[in-house]
Amino acid sequence: YHLEEAAIGGHPSARYNLGIEDWNNGHNERAVKHFIIAAAHGHDGSTKALVDDFRRGFVGKEDLAAALRAHQAAIDATKSPQR
């Protein structure tokens, strides 16, 4: 319950952990969605998971590319001088 609440609240590690939990329970498509959202918030482990899932055939090339662009944008935003 608390992990889901944290993920909804925007905590990337919680989102990643939900993805791991779903993956381990056989909910691969749902897990990939969690990884994509976490990657878009700058979570490095999620990008690694997405690359691994791409190699296994669970993530499309376009989805991986979009997730990597969103991840880079999140990283860039944290390094901006306005922050």
Side-chain angles (χ1 to χ4, degrees), residues 50-79:
L50 287 169
V51 170
D52 291 344
D53 295 344
F54 170 73
R55 290 180 181 148
R56 295 181 192 137
F58 290 102
V59 178
K61 187 175 183 177
E62 298 81 20
D63 291 334
L64 177 62
L68 292 176
R69 282 192 303 273
H71 177 266
Q72 189 59 50
I75 297 300
D76 291 345
T78 62
K79 294 180 181 178

Side-chain angles (χ1 to χ4, degrees), residues 1-67:
Y1 168 78
H2 295 288
L3 191 59
E4 292 172 358
E5 289 294 316
I8 290 168
H11 197 282
S13 293
R15 185 66 72 169
Y16 170 76
N17 288 331
L18 280 176
I20 294 295
E21 189 176 297
D22 279 339
W23 187 272
N24 291 337
N25 289 327
H27 304 287
N28 299 346
E29 288 181 25
R30 187 169 158 181
V32 167
K33 290 178 185 179
H34 286 304
F35 295 148
I36 289 171
I37 294 168
H41 286 102
H43 191 269
D44 294 329
S46 293
T47 57
K48 182 183 179 316
L50 287 169
V51 170
D52 291 344
D53 295 344
F54 170 73
R55 290 180 181 148
R56 295 181 192 137
F58 290 102
V59 178
K61 187 175 183 177
E62 298 81 20
D63 291 334
L64 177 62

